[in-house]
Structure formats: C-alpha cells, structure tokens
C-alpha cells in the first residue's frame, strides 16, 4: 500500500512510470508490426520453437531500431552542420518505432552486406543532454 501512496503523491514518479510504460508499449507494438507471418500467431506448440520465434522477432526489432537510430543521428549531424539548433528536448521527441519508411515486403539488395560500415559514433557534442538527465 505504501507504493500506491508514493505513486499517487509524487507527480514526478508518475511521469517517469508513464514514460517508461509508453516506451515498452511502443516497442511491443513495433515488434508486433514486424511479426507479420501468420498474423503474428505462433502456431507451433513446441516451447523451444515458440522461444526461438520470440527471440528472432526481438532481434529483428532491435536491428531495425538500431538502424533507425543511426539514420536519425546522421540527419541530426547534417542539420547541425547546416547551422540548425537541436535541443535535447527535440531529440527526446523522436521515436525509432516509426513504420512508414519500412517496406516489409519490398525488394532488398544484399550485395552491400559484405561492405564494412563506418564505426558507430554516438557522440553529439552540439546537443546538451544534461537537462534530460537532471529531469529524470
């Protein structure tokens, strides 16, 4: 009961819980959208096969999210280089769960798979993220 009173009495705690819940629901909805075979129904009764399907779907979702994050960072870097100002609050409004740009049933080139990608650079020094860390 103490936790319920803490939740009700603390608006900041409620905001954090709601934000985390929304992120989890966003991921679940996104991964369900990616799970298009058999309308997402796992028809196999074998627990090992069910676990494999869930893990493959999670892996696919995480790969697409990582790729989307790389794309978003590239666009932000270009905008910053052009002189645009981007705040941490602007970045916090972005979501890697968008689906409009993904063609699940499209033609995909595989000849580029053997090309080594650039090293991942997570640094965006032009954006002050300390304001978000303090708000959390």
């Amino acid at each position: 009961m103490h936790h319920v009173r803490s939740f009700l009495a603390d608006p900041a705690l409620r905001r954090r819980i709601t934000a985390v819940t929304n992120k989890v629901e966003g991921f679940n909805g996104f991964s369900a959208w990616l799970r298009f075979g058999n309308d997402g129904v796992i028809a196999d009764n074998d627990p090992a096969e069910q676990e494999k399907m869930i893990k493959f779907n999670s892996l696919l979702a995480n790969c697409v999210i990582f790729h989307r994050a790389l794309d978003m960072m590239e666009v932000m870097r270009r905008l910053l280089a052009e002189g645009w100002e981007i705040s941490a609050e602007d970045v916090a409004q972005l979501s890697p769960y968008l689906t409009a740009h993904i063609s699940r049933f499209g033609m995909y080139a595989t000849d580029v798979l053997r090309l080594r990608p650039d090293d991942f650079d997570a640094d965006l020094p032009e954006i002050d993220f300390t304001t978000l860390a303090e708000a959390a």
Side-chain angles (χ1 to χ4, degrees):
M1 193 63 162
H2 170 70
H3 297 295
V4 173
R5 274 181 272 171
S6 296
F7 176 79
L8 294 175
D10 188 347
L13 176 62
R14 289 196 305 273
R15 280 192 299 275
R16 285 195 302 269
I17 290 172
T18 299
V20 170
T21 302
N22 289 341
K23 288 178 185 177
V24 170
E25 289 175 358
F27 176 82
N28 289 339
F30 182 73
S31 65
W33 182 82
L34 288 172
R35 190 176 51 242
F36 54 86
N38 200 24
D39 288 329
V41 174
I42 300 174
D44 201 315
N45 287 330
D46 180 2
E49 289 300 312
Q50 292 173 345
E51 182 178 5
K52 192 181 342 176
M53 293 293 292
I54 291 168
K55 286 182 177 181
F56 285 154
N57 181 248
S58 293
L59 175 63
L60 175 62
N62 282 299
C63 287
V64 173
I65 289 166
F66 182 67
H67 191 279
R68 172 56 37 213
L70 292 175
D71 290 345
M72 290 186 321
M73 289 181 74
E74 182 180 325
V75 170
M76 282 187 279
R77 284 191 176 105
R78 274 194 240 142
L79 291 172
L80 289 165
E82 292 175 10
W84 288 78
E85 288 187 23
I86 300 174
S87 70
E89 289 79 13
D90 294 333
V91 177
Q93 298 301 313
L94 300 175
S95 173
Y97 303 141
L98 302 177
T99 58
H101 65 284
I102 300 172
S103 176
R104 294 185 302 177
F105 307 109
M107 301 285 293
Y108 294 96
T110 57
D111 57 333
V112 295
L113 292 176
R114 63 183 140 251
L115 299 176
R116 182 184 170 108
D118 295 335
D119 291 337
F120 175 66
D121 178 12
D123 193 29
L124 287 169
E126 301 88 349
I127 301 174
D128 178 15
F129 288 100
T130 57
T131 58
L132 289 182
E134 293 167 0

